[in-house]
Amino acid sequence: MKKRILQLILLLCFSMLSGNVLAQINVTGVVSDELGELLPGVNILVKGTTTGAITDFDGKYSISAPDASSVLVFSYIGFENQEIVVGNQTTINLTLKASAESLGEIVVIGYGTQRKATLTGSVADVKGEVLEAAPTNNITNTLSGRLTGVTALNRTGEPGDDVSSITIRGLSTLGNNDALVVIDGVAGRIDINQIDPRDIESISILKDASAAIYGARAANGVILITTKRGKIGKPSINVTFNQGIYQPTFVTERANSQQIATFQNLRAADLGNPLPWTADELTKLGDGSDPTRYPNTNWTDEIFKNNSTQSKAGLSVSGGSDAVKYFLSSNFSEVGSIFKDGINESKRIGILSNIDVAVNDNLSVSVDMSYSNQDVTYPSDDADPGNLLLQTYGNFPYLLADNPDGSINDANPGLIATKEAGYRKEDRDNLSTKVGFKYKIAKVDGLSVDGFIAYNKTNITSKHWT
């Protein structure tokens, strides 16, 4: 009798568990904002559980809810949280509303500033404090994943050449798809990365009609960068330092010497050719008894470090009075090579000075200046990252990396990343200046005249030795 009761209890538990599994509902959908922009990175959580999901770059998501009474919680920075009861729905498309706090923020647009609450154009923005939290050394990499409609693609990651290409709402033409960059009101600044991310007050992305004020140059969108300026108050000193470690995203596992040699024997047999390897040689390739004549070289371990470092330091001073306000900043960054014995290196210094002077009640003058110098060392022309990667993965493991006397073997692809094969050095100077004024018409309230003169200069000194 007891055994029978136990069997019934177990059967009941199994039925309940099976019912729960069968009752699970798979919910999919798309999340966007009130302007119809798809939102990547939105968090979706089944309330009261640890089951969650996140929207992809197209704003799409998929999540399994335990049953029809489950509640999905949608959350995203700058937007109000929303809770939706699943019910019998398998598709839930949601529009998130901007939070009241974010609607009160001031957004820089092409012809001044505007509160988010009254903004009707398609504009995305990010504040300076968000950029400061990113451990990157240039603006283009900092923007990745932080603005809707913006795609940042880094093709190499090589020190000195790790700038991401930025497109707004994808590729819109067969030609140049670069967005127009406007820094402190000056369009067409040469190098967006001459500004340190920690010196930026805000970045706005203008799309569609919002960018029309800049004419045909804004066909691919506009990136508006506003740098920090001084505020009335005692001098404020800010010191920052960041030490980072970077490494390859993944390293694929390669076949060893014995596996490659066995495959070559099989291929030769299929073609009716003599076998390139004897049975004794195959054994030596596998057991490591003669590492000089029959090595088993792991080329990725020989060429790449497990990780490399990047450092960044900054110092800024800001403050001012009713008459004069100032923001002064300096920074230094250094990125090392990911190749063993590689000479890839990038060192950069930069300074920024923004000064505002109130000459009298009606006339104010601003003097802005930024300067950056970047020293970059590359290996020889043959050490293109793509070429070096191809040679590393295509090299046979039964070739020696180093000769018995300790010198690097000519078969070692890593040789072209060292100074032995030559080098390329570039010294890049960027100077940007701007002098502006604003004059209030004394007897006409709200009417003023303003203008500025801007000057950019870029100089690149290059030396190649092979």
PDB file of all heavy atoms in Angstrom, residues 237-241 313-316:
ATOM      1  N   ILE A 237      40.311  70.598 -10.005  1.00  0.00           N
ATOM      2  CA  ILE A 237      41.362  69.790 -10.615  1.00  0.00           C
ATOM      3  C   ILE A 237      40.901  68.332 -10.678  1.00  0.00           C
ATOM      4  O   ILE A 237      40.439  67.778  -9.684  1.00  0.00           O
ATOM      5  CB  ILE A 237      42.674  69.895  -9.825  1.00  0.00           C
ATOM      6  CG1 ILE A 237      43.158  71.355  -9.771  1.00  0.00           C
ATOM      7  CG2 ILE A 237      43.754  69.014 -10.459  1.00  0.00           C
ATOM      8  CD1 ILE A 237      44.381  71.557  -8.922  1.00  0.00           C
ATOM      9  N   ASN A 238      41.045  67.738 -11.843  1.00  0.00           N
ATOM     10  CA  ASN A 238      40.621  66.354 -12.038  1.00  0.00           C
ATOM     11  C   ASN A 238      41.776  65.551 -12.622  1.00  0.00           C
ATOM     12  O   ASN A 238      42.333  65.906 -13.660  1.00  0.00           O
ATOM     13  CB  ASN A 238      39.408  66.304 -12.981  1.00  0.00           C
ATOM     14  CG  ASN A 238      38.858  64.898 -13.121  1.00  0.00           C
ATOM     15  OD1 ASN A 238      38.949  64.097 -12.204  1.00  0.00           O
ATOM     16  ND2 ASN A 238      38.300  64.601 -14.280  1.00  0.00           N
ATOM     17  N   VAL A 239      42.158  64.473 -11.940  1.00  0.00           N
ATOM     18  CA  VAL A 239      43.243  63.608 -12.400  1.00  0.00           C
ATOM     19  C   VAL A 239      42.672  62.210 -12.671  1.00  0.00           C
ATOM     20  O   VAL A 239      41.952  61.662 -11.839  1.00  0.00           O
ATOM     21  CB  VAL A 239      44.372  63.509 -11.355  1.00  0.00           C
ATOM     22  CG1 VAL A 239      45.485  62.591 -11.865  1.00  0.00           C
ATOM     23  CG2 VAL A 239      44.935  64.885 -11.041  1.00  0.00           C
ATOM     24  N   THR A 240      42.986  61.644 -13.820  1.00  0.00           N
ATOM     25  CA  THR A 240      42.498  60.301 -14.163  1.00  0.00           C
ATOM     26  C   THR A 240      43.670  59.442 -14.631  1.00  0.00           C
ATOM     27  O   THR A 240      44.642  59.934 -15.214  1.00  0.00           O
ATOM     28  CB  THR A 240      41.450  60.338 -15.287  1.00  0.00           C
ATOM     29  OG1 THR A 240      42.034  60.930 -16.459  1.00  0.00           O
ATOM     30  CG2 THR A 240      40.242  61.151 -14.869  1.00  0.00           C
ATOM     31  N   PHE A 241      43.556  58.149 -14.369  1.00  0.00           N
ATOM     32  CA  PHE A 241      44.541  57.186 -14.877  1.00  0.00           C
ATOM     33  C   PHE A 241      43.832  55.868 -15.137  1.00  0.00           C
ATOM     34  O   PHE A 241      43.016  55.422 -14.328  1.00  0.00           O
ATOM     35  CB  PHE A 241      45.686  56.972 -13.879  1.00  0.00           C
ATOM     36  CG  PHE A 241      46.679  55.937 -14.352  1.00  0.00           C
ATOM     37  CD1 PHE A 241      47.618  56.258 -15.313  1.00  0.00           C
ATOM     38  CD2 PHE A 241      46.654  54.642 -13.849  1.00  0.00           C
ATOM     39  CE1 PHE A 241      48.531  55.310 -15.775  1.00  0.00           C
ATOM     40  CE2 PHE A 241      47.554  53.686 -14.302  1.00  0.00           C
ATOM     41  CZ  PHE A 241      48.504  54.030 -15.259  1.00  0.00           C
ATOM     42  N   ALA A 313      46.500  58.542 -19.081  1.00  0.00           N
ATOM     43  CA  ALA A 313      46.480  59.452 -17.938  1.00  0.00           C
ATOM     44  C   ALA A 313      46.012  60.823 -18.405  1.00  0.00           C
ATOM     45  O   ALA A 313      46.254  61.221 -19.557  1.00  0.00           O
ATOM     46  CB  ALA A 313      47.869  59.554 -17.310  1.00  0.00           C
ATOM     47  N   GLY A 314      45.323  61.531 -17.540  1.00  0.00           N
ATOM     48  CA  GLY A 314      44.812  62.849 -17.893  1.00  0.00           C
ATOM     49  C   GLY A 314      44.781  63.786 -16.709  1.00  0.00           C
ATOM     50  O   GLY A 314      44.645  63.364 -15.560  1.00  0.00           O
ATOM     51  N   LEU A 315      44.910  65.075 -16.991  1.00  0.00           N
ATOM     52  CA  LEU A 315      44.849  66.122 -15.967  1.00  0.00           C
ATOM     53  C   LEU A 315      44.070  67.296 -16.533  1.00  0.00           C
ATOM     54  O   LEU A 315      44.365  67.765 -17.637  1.00  0.00           O
ATOM     55  CB  LEU A 315      46.259  66.571 -15.570  1.00  0.00           C
ATOM     56  CG  LEU A 315      46.368  67.813 -14.675  1.00  0.00           C
ATOM     57  CD1 LEU A 315      45.759  67.532 -13.298  1.00  0.00           C
ATOM     58  CD2 LEU A 315      47.810  68.274 -14.538  1.00  0.00           C
ATOM     59  N   SER A 316      43.068  67.765 -15.805  1.00  0.00           N
ATOM     60  CA  SER A 316      42.286  68.919 -16.265  1.00  0.00           C
ATOM     61  C   SER A 316      42.059  69.890 -15.119  1.00  0.00           C
ATOM     62  O   SER A 316      41.970  69.496 -13.957  1.00  0.00           O
ATOM     63  CB  SER A 316      40.940  68.473 -16.851  1.00  0.00           C
ATOM     64  OG  SER A 316      40.135  67.866 -15.864  1.00  0.00           O
TER      65      SER A 316
END
